[in-house]
Amino acid sequence: MSPSPGRDPGGGSPTGRSPSDGRAAGDRTAAGAVAGTGAVAGTGAVAGTGSPFRTPSADAPTTGPHTSPAAPVTGTRSGPVRLCELRRLKEFRAAEELFADIWRPPPGSPGPVGMEMIRALSHAGNYVAGAYLGERLVGASVGFLSAPPGRALHSHITGVRAGRGIGHALKLHQRDWARDQGLDRITWTFDPLVRRNAYFNLSKLGATLVEYHTSFYGPMRDAINTGDDSDRVMALWRIGPGSPGPAGPDAGSGRLGEAPEPLLVADGSGRPRTLTTDAPTVLVELPSDIEALRRTDPAAATAWRLAVREVLGGLLAGGARVSGFHGRSGYLVDRTPGRTPRPHTGPRPRSHTRAPVGHHGHPPLPETNSQESAN
């Protein structure tokens, strides 16, 4: 999720070519790190080797030796990683178990995506793929065709058991699959407070943020999200011809070497502090590790959630644009000079008292409508 799950229905293949019909997907290039249902878990931002691979046919085993060339990912010591579409019930079951292992729902509760849903989405021509290290499934991604029809894929969930660039490799596999279908964009949601996911999505992939959603999924009880509101941001990744590539970690920072004006920063105690500035480009900083903060200082984690919601959410609602992720520390946001963004109007959670924020209203970061974990 940056870790969070999606709920939208899937659709049919816009080209009439179902990925479950046994056709080879064509040569693609692997590389390395991810984000999925609004969250991706356990992925690193390591690039792959660029070795070609081919998706096996429906009859080829995907939990045993592959008949297609392997797609090695830099940093994997246990052997090459193989990426392929999943097409068998045992593969769908393995994906369900992998997602449950990553998100760790309460005992007796289902994981974020069940085998039956994965099977249905695959059969209907949607994106279901996995990454294998030897015979072990170490990563999986599920997405469905979405609006606008014939142009978009929504990535609902992506999870990886280990880093080593596997998440990135899955994301590039997803991009190439979508291009094969004639699509020109991929969307997903992630928790805006998770730094590594924000950096990966914006700086490594070149996605942009288009919407902020307050408590998108309602209360979530998995080990990653419990105790916090499920605010998400919607990422948009344009993959069509002529689409811009990653902007880099300091895109939008103005003149070379010039730091952006901070609008939301961490104070001496590690809590959020809102500043006043009329600068056209501002920095919305994030906590260094929100997941650890939820465990060690829940009150501080809540303060960050509400501050980012107000600041980042308010900026986006007022027409500002997130132009990049600066120095792995926070969002770069371009806004109209001299204009005060209108306050974010999304519903506030009933379970929390609003944390004080001293500014005109701009909200926080991360995933929006899927469960991509460090995806």
Side-chain angles (χ1 to χ4, degrees):
M1 316 198 162
S2 312
S4 334
R7 299 281 186 264
D8 297 355
S13 170
T15 61
R17 299 177 300 168
S18 168
S20 60
D21 63 7
R23 68 179 179 89
D27 290 344
R28 299 193 182 123
T29 300
V34 186
T37 61
V40 177
T43 60
V46 182
T49 63
S51 300
F53 65 90
R54 182 179 296 275
T55 301
S57 70
D59 296 329
T62 55
T63 54
H66 288 267
T67 57
S68 57
V73 177
T74 299
T76 301
R77 299 178 180 176
S78 305
V81 172
R82 296 186 290 273
L83 307 177
C84 59
E85 293 176 46
L86 306 183
R87 296 175 177 167
R88 294 183 174 184
L89 290 179
K90 62 181 179 181
E91 298 166 357
F92 303 146
R93 176 68 71 187
E96 175 189 42
E97 293 172 353
L98 180 144
F99 292 142
D101 287 345
I102 292 171
W103 275 272
R104 304 191 304 280
S109 299
V113 184
M115 184 199 74
E116 296 85 354
M117 179 59 70
I118 298 173
R119 165 66 164 139
L121 290 172
S122 172
H123 183 73
N126 295 284
Y127 179 76
V128 177
Y132 284 89
L133 189 56
E135 296 188 5
R136 182 177 181 233
L137 185 70
V138 293
S141 183
V142 176
F144 45 81
L145 300 166
S146 63
R151 298 185 60 187
L153 174 75
H154 183 77
S155 181
H156 175 64
I157 185 165
T158 299
V160 176
R161 278 199 173 102
R164 305 167 182 170
I166 297 171
H168 192 215
L170 264 173
K171 216 60 187 168
L172 297 187
H173 181 276
Q174 183 185 76
R175 177 199 64 187
D176 293 343
W177 181 94
R179 285 175 173 172
D180 281 354
Q181 304 298 313
L183 309 179
D184 64 13
R185 67 194 65 183
I186 301 173
T187 60
W188 63 89
T189 60
F190 69 95
D191 184 340
L193 289 176
V194 181
R195 269 195 189 185
R196 68 178 184 278
N197 285 352
Y199 172 80
F200 174 76
N201 291 330
L202 277 64
S203 296
K204 298 291 291 186
L205 297 180
T208 58
L209 301 187
V210 293
E211 297 171 347
Y212 188 98
H213 297 271
T214 299
S215 195
F216 189 83
Y217 295 109
M220 301 178 72
R221 299 193 300 153
D222 60 80
I224 293 175
N225 296 282
T226 190
D228 196 1
D229 291 319
S230 59
D231 287 20
R232 297 293 183 265
V233 286
M234 178 72 73
L236 170 63
W237 192 17
R238 297 189 184 277
I239 60 171
S243 298
D250 297 322
S253 59
R255 293 187 298 274
L256 186 63
E258 179 183 355
E261 288 285 337
L263 183 60
L264 180 65
V265 298
D267 65 17
S269 65
R271 295 208 171 203
R273 179 187 178 196
T274 304
L275 306 177
T276 300
T277 176
D278 292 326
T281 299
V282 296
L283 175 66
V284 178
E285 191 173 315
L286 299 180
S288 59
D289 188 344
I290 186 62
E291 291 161 321
L293 199 60
R294 288 171 186 151
R295 297 189 298 270
T296 61
D297 191 345
T302 297
W304 274 106
R305 172 66 72 200
L306 297 178
V308 173
R309 176 186 300 171
E310 183 179 354
V311 175
L312 181 65
L315 286 168
L316 290 175
R321 181 180 69 92
V322 175
S323 58
F325 200 75
H326 181 72
R328 296 182 183 243
S329 67
Y331 298 96
L332 279 170
V333 185
D334 294 334
R335 61 183 184 182
T336 303
R339 175 184 173 187
T340 300
R342 59 188 170 88
H344 182 53
T345 57
R348 296 187 179 279
R350 298 177 182 176
S351 57
H352 299 310
T353 301
R354 178 181 176 186
V357 279
H359 70 98
H360 304 302
H362 326 301
L365 315 160
E367 281 194 21
T368 298
N369 70 6
S370 36
Q371 282 184 321
E372 300 216 353
S373 170
N375 171 318

